[in-house]
Amino acid sequence: MMQGCRVLLGLSGGIAAYKSAELTRLLVKAGAEVRVVMTEGAQAFIAPLTFQALSGNPVHTHLLDPEAEAGMGHIELAKWADLIIIAPASADLMARLAAGMADDLMTTLCLATEASVLLAPAMNQAMWRHPATQKNARTLQTYGYTLLGPDQGEQACGDTGPGRMLEASAIFALLQSHRDESSSPVSNTQTQKPLQGRTVTLTAGPTREAVDPVRYISNHSSGKMGYALAEAARDAGARVNLISGPVQIQAPEGVNLVQVNSACDMLEASLQHLPDTDIFIAAAAVADYRPDNAADQKMKKQPGQNELVLRLVQNPDIVATIARHEQRPFTVGFAAETQDVENYAISKLMRKNLDMIIANDVSRSDIGFNSDQNAVTVLWKQAGSADPATPDIGRYQPDQASKTTLARQLITQISDHFLHSNT
């Protein structure tokens, strides 16, 4: 879909500018015609000559460059583009775009163009979380701009968190998807997103099962994968209900956050949202058992008591309950396993009557509960299998990636299967 597409690639100041060289290469290889615009800050990190060599076109750096004006002025450049992608998009550039400023070539082009404008934010995690940046991001989305990312993980400054620019390959894939959704350059406010008008309900994080008012049984789930899926579903156009156990991360803007503690609370909230739910994704790490009777007061250690015996009872199976409900939505489960991952996941897919299941190995420290990375296998029952009792199993196994990047790929898979099941 990128063949012949006229892409205007903008770079603002940031260490992530080096990734845009690879993005340029991917675009040119796919047949796109690429012209590059760089701010003064971007040129401090990478030389314009790099992009001239990769794109095969002169790089534009000044609003009133007489040489550029003689060939293609800034208005003509704005009209030329089929789409504009700014990667990296710094906090400063986002603020200036949100304010409607036109004080350099980049911001002037964005005001003057009628093409789709996509931004790949890149900044320190504290800058991204700052209320001013979050407000600017929401404002830009109301203008019709599309934000790609940011990703989470280690940053050049040594911090860890959201704010990393997506990898070039991920941005390229999203540009292809954007181009595929619209064969002509239109404002992305007019672009139909795959889950537009649909409602996605997700569970995320751990549950806490009370032993007494100060103690509980829980697990190591951070909620990162579920929260990333909620953000990706929102960006795909869905209305999102995020039913979350206790976590230490901020919910994405624009989703309906429902905070719960126990498995019973999570089931109750899930059932309340079921009538309006089209897709249910059970990403939470729900405790399998809870104490039979939680004490009303803090349990005291008794003299001479060397052990304490707790009687546990089984918690309700949330995803199985949803999958067997008369108002059953398209239901996706997770299988967090430590051994024989795929076989356990297929067993769960069948036993719980799921449409899809996403399996991952939580015994690995690099992709476990608190990691920013993940590697999964998506499994589903193939339609038209000869024996319904032992159907053929479809598989999709994306490369290991950050949970943010992986969430977008998973939502694409889920939406494709959901829409196919409704045709």
Side-chain angles (χ1 to χ4, degrees):
M1 292 303 299
M2 302 308 295
Q3 183 69 41
C5 182
R6 294 178 295 190
V7 179
L8 188 62
L9 171 62
L11 287 82
S12 60
I15 187 63
Y18 76 91
K19 296 182 181 180
S20 297
E22 173 64 7
L23 177 59
T24 304
R25 188 191 69 80
L26 291 171
L27 288 166
V28 171
K29 184 179 179 181
E33 185 178 354
V34 181
R35 295 185 183 272
V36 178
V37 173
M38 299 178 70
T39 66
E40 185 176 348
Q43 295 171 66
F45 288 92
I46 192 167
L49 185 60
T50 300
F51 293 95
Q52 180 174 319
L54 289 169
S55 69
N57 290 305
V59 175
H60 302 269
T61 57
H62 299 291
L63 177 60
L64 299 175
D65 184 344
E67 187 174 327
E69 288 292 321
M72 180 181 289
H74 58 276
I75 298 300
E76 285 74 20
L77 191 58
K79 291 179 179 178
W80 171 85
D82 289 337
L83 65 86
I84 296 175
I85 169 68
I86 302 177
S90 66
D92 174 73
L93 179 68
M94 290 176 62
R96 290 190 289 125
L97 288 174
M101 296 179 69
D103 57 346
D104 64 1
L105 179 57
M106 186 89 74
T107 51
T108 301
L109 287 170
C110 290
L111 279 181
T113 192
E114 294 182 357
S116 300
V117 180
L118 301 93
L119 309 176
M123 64 199 72
N124 167 265
Q125 56 85 22
M127 295 174 70
W128 171 251
R129 288 187 170 121
H130 194 282
T133 305
Q134 292 298 304
K135 180 181 178 182
N136 290 335
R138 293 192 297 272
T139 298
L140 290 169
Q141 288 173 316
T142 66
Y143 292 165
Y145 292 6
T146 298
L147 270 61
L148 308 181
D151 209 339
Q152 297 199 48
E154 294 183 6
Q155 300 182 322
C157 61
D159 286 358
T160 299
R164 284 170 53 99
M165 190 172 97
L166 294 176
E167 297 302 319
S169 58
I171 295 174
F172 177 70
L174 291 169
L175 290 177
Q176 284 185 307
S177 297
H178 177 86
R179 183 69 175 166
D180 188 40
E181 290 169 0
S182 175
S183 58
S184 61
V186 296
S187 167
N188 46 36
T189 57
Q190 299 171 322
T191 300
Q192 184 70 23
K193 297 182 178 181
L195 293 178
Q196 196 76 43
R198 305 291 189 173
T199 299
V200 174
T201 298
L202 297 107
T203 63
T207 62
R208 290 179 178 176
E209 311 303 328
V211 174
D212 62 22
V214 298
R215 301 181 181 91
Y216 55 82
I217 297 170
S218 190
N219 56 61
H220 295 293
S221 174
S222 64
K224 290 178 181 178
M225 192 70 241
Y227 275 55
L229 286 164
E231 184 173 19
R234 178 205 65 192
D235 291 346
R239 297 181 294 269
V240 178
N241 300 311
L242 176 57
I243 302 172
S244 175
V247 297
Q248 300 299 314
I249 52 179
Q250 187 174 352
E253 293 287 340
V255 307
N256 174 37
L257 177 64
V258 181
Q259 295 177 303
V260 298
N261 277 302
S262 70
C264 291
D265 295 339
M266 187 170 281
L267 175 60
E268 182 180 355
S270 299
L271 291 172
Q272 285 177 352
H273 287 90
L274 192 58
D276 299 322
T277 296
D278 297 294
I279 299 172
F280 184 84
I281 304 174
V286 182
D288 291 326
Y289 294 90
R290 69 183 186 275
D292 186 16
N293 288 299
D296 294 331
Q297 302 295 326
K298 179 182 176 182
M299 299 169 66
K300 299 292 186 180
K301 183 169 61 176
Q302 301 298 324
Q305 185 181 32
N306 295 322
E307 61 181 29
L308 174 68
V309 178
L310 293 176
R311 183 174 182 270
L312 303 179
V313 295
Q314 195 169 40
N315 267 324
D317 191 322
I318 296 174
V319 71
T321 301
I322 298 298
R324 296 190 181 102
H325 199 278
E326 61 182 2
Q327 294 177 297
R328 182 189 190 283
F330 187 89
T331 307
V332 181
F334 268 71
E337 304 291 349
T338 58
Q339 60 179 334
D340 202 10
V341 175
E342 189 167 315
N343 284 332
Y344 279 127
I346 292 172
S347 174
K348 185 179 291 188
L349 174 73
M350 303 302 297
R351 285 186 293 104
K352 299 190 178 185
N353 190 36
L354 308 180
D355 294 292
M356 296 180 75
I357 194 162
I358 300 166
N360 66 313
D361 186 348
V362 295
S363 69
R364 288 176 51 185
S365 60
D366 58 332
I367 59 171
F369 276 133
N370 287 291
S371 172
D372 290 319
Q373 296 275 311
N374 207 351
V376 302
T377 301
V378 185
L379 305 162
W380 63 89
K381 293 174 282 189
Q382 296 274 34
S385 298
D387 183 2
T390 56
D392 296 332
I393 300 297
R395 290 173 176 80
Y396 168 67
Q397 193 164 25
D399 293 336
Q400 180 174 325
S402 72
K403 289 179 177 177
T404 302
T405 298
L406 196 59
R408 295 179 184 277
Q409 296 172 317
L410 293 176
I411 288 297
T412 297
Q413 283 290 314
I414 291 167
S415 62
D416 286 349
H417 282 265
F418 165 73
L419 294 171
H420 180 73
S421 71
N422 284 273
T423 57

